[in-house]
Amino acid sequence: MRVFALVGRSGTGKSTSALSFAHSKNIPAMIDDGLLIYKGRKAAGSSAKYEKNYITAIKRAVFFYEDHRKEVQNAIKALDIHSLLIIGTSTKMVDQIAETLQLGKITKYYKIEEIRSSKEINMALYVRKTEGKHIIPIPYVQVEQNILKKIIMKGKKIFSTQKEEIGETTIIRPRFHQGTIHISEHVLKQIISHACTSVEAVKKCHRIDIALNELPNIKITLTMFYPLDEALPVIAEKIQQKVAEDFLKFLNIELNSITIHISKLSMEHSYPASMIRTARI
């Protein structure tokens, strides 16, 4: 059996990307937080995310408990798995798991930065800190809901590039999490509005739409002063740059797109419609 590893610090989206990544490498099975997952479904084991505290969670993740370890080892043998992906927070951790389960040496290590963009990683870290959400790469119906029934949410179905369904994720909030940091949408809008109005040509932001998903996007509708010293597209690019810089500075989020809609020019007579433009990064 060939053994591979996917390594990245906690909260960077390893479990979110694991199903698609494993499928792209023709790896049918993976070990993630104490679970053996085979072809997108739980085959054996128990998730470390079910544990009540960090110590037992770590022990569960590295197969410290003998009954847990043997269950997964027996399942690997019974399924006759030809290749397997171990997911962990460090090379030391995945090496320990491979040794404990007697899987042999790891053939190749992949870093999360190789399969996810910095924008996706920073967004995942932001969600972990502000919402405390964790991903388990198995279907909702396979999660032990008697333990987590109040905090389980359905995730999403994962499809291959050929639109073949290859798995499903479930979102949970473990009992051992240390709380979250709440940043209201009002504060996010204040950051954006301040960034926009710091550009001299901007009079007012009328509407700000924020979509902080896997790839965060922002839409801003604003009024500009007239006359203008520069062309509208040039000013719009300055606004985009300032908003992007402030989001990275205050929230450590790299925005995927910033759409600027100039809806009005502050003057008494009408302005040619050809000068109303939308700029997008």
Side-chain angles (χ1 to χ4, degrees):
M1 179 173 62
R2 300 184 70 194
V3 182
F4 303 89
L6 175 60
V7 177
R9 68 187 193 275
S10 180
T12 51
K14 298 185 299 299
S15 295
T16 301
S17 304
L19 288 166
S20 296
F21 175 71
H23 184 269
S24 71
K25 298 293 182 182
N26 193 29
I27 303 172
M30 57 187 180
I31 297 288
D32 184 25
D33 265 341
L35 288 172
L36 171 64
I37 300 161
Y38 182 67
K39 294 184 177 180
R41 297 185 66 84
K42 173 186 170 183
S46 179
S47 176
K49 293 182 173 73
Y50 298 156
E51 298 297 328
K52 295 180 180 180
N53 59 68
Y54 279 105
I55 301 301
T56 56
I58 292 170
K59 288 182 176 181
R60 178 69 61 186
V62 297
F63 299 92
F64 175 83
Y65 304 107
E66 184 178 1
D67 57 340
H68 181 213
R69 180 170 65 251
K70 287 184 176 180
E71 178 193 350
V72 171
Q73 285 177 316
N74 291 337
I76 291 172
K77 291 177 182 177
L79 291 167
D80 194 25
I81 295 168
H82 63 77
S83 59
L84 179 143
L85 178 70
I86 303 176
I87 302 168
T89 56
S90 67
T91 54
K92 181 179 179 180
M93 178 183 179
V94 294
D95 284 342
Q96 182 180 349
I97 292 170
E99 183 179 354
T100 301
L101 294 178
Q102 299 178 341
L103 300 174
K105 295 290 184 181
I106 293 175
T107 304
K108 185 172 182 178
Y109 301 84
Y110 294 92
K111 294 182 179 179
I112 189 64
E113 292 81 6
E114 295 177 55
I115 68 171
R116 301 201 95 195
S117 69
S118 59
K119 291 177 182 178
E120 291 173 313
I121 290 171
N122 284 340
M123 191 64 235
L125 288 167
Y126 177 81
V127 170
R128 175 64 62 84
K129 291 175 183 177
T130 58
E131 300 180 29
K133 290 180 179 178
H134 292 239
I135 302 294
I136 298 180
I138 60 174
Y140 178 82
V141 296
Q142 284 198 296
V143 176
E144 296 175 31
Q145 298 185 35
N146 59 319
I147 299 175
L148 298 166
K149 60 183 177 181
K150 294 184 179 180
I151 54 177
I152 294 177
M153 295 170 282
K154 289 186 178 181
K156 62 180 181 180
K157 292 186 177 181
I158 307 299
F159 296 88
S160 69
T161 53
Q162 291 77 32
K163 307 302 180 184
E164 170 194 4
E165 186 176 333
I166 58 177
E168 185 179 334
T169 62
T170 300
I171 304 170
I172 72 167
R173 186 175 292 114
R175 289 186 285 185
F176 59 76
H177 83 287
Q178 294 179 323
T180 58
I181 301 167
H182 179 66
I183 301 174
S184 73
E185 187 172 307
H186 176 68
V187 170
L188 301 179
K189 289 183 177 181
Q190 281 185 313
I191 292 172
I192 295 167
S193 180
H194 182 270
C196 290
T197 54
S198 68
V199 176
E200 189 174 351
V202 178
K203 180 180 180 180
K204 184 180 179 181
C205 291
H206 295 287
R207 178 171 177 173
I208 300 170
D209 296 309
I210 305 171
L212 297 184
N213 302 316
E214 287 186 25
L215 288 174
N217 302 291
I218 289 174
K219 296 181 181 179
I220 307 166
T221 302
L222 46 78
T223 297
M224 309 282 285
F225 284 113
Y226 183 83
L228 301 168
D229 294 330
E230 297 177 291
L232 285 172
V234 174
I235 298 171
E237 287 177 4
K238 287 184 177 180
I239 297 168
Q240 289 173 325
Q241 182 177 354
K242 179 59 178 171
V243 172
E245 288 174 351
D246 283 4
F247 248 69
L248 190 59
K249 176 182 177 181
F250 295 117
L251 303 167
N252 197 34
I253 293 177
E254 295 179 63
L255 292 169
N256 180 57
S257 71
I258 306 168
T259 301
I260 305 294
H261 178 65
I262 302 169
S263 64
K264 185 179 179 182
L265 290 170
S266 183
M267 58 182 185
E268 293 184 1
H269 59 280
S270 62
Y271 198 79
S274 61
M275 293 299 291
I276 307 296
R277 304 191 181 187
T278 297
R280 185 181 179 92
I281 59 170

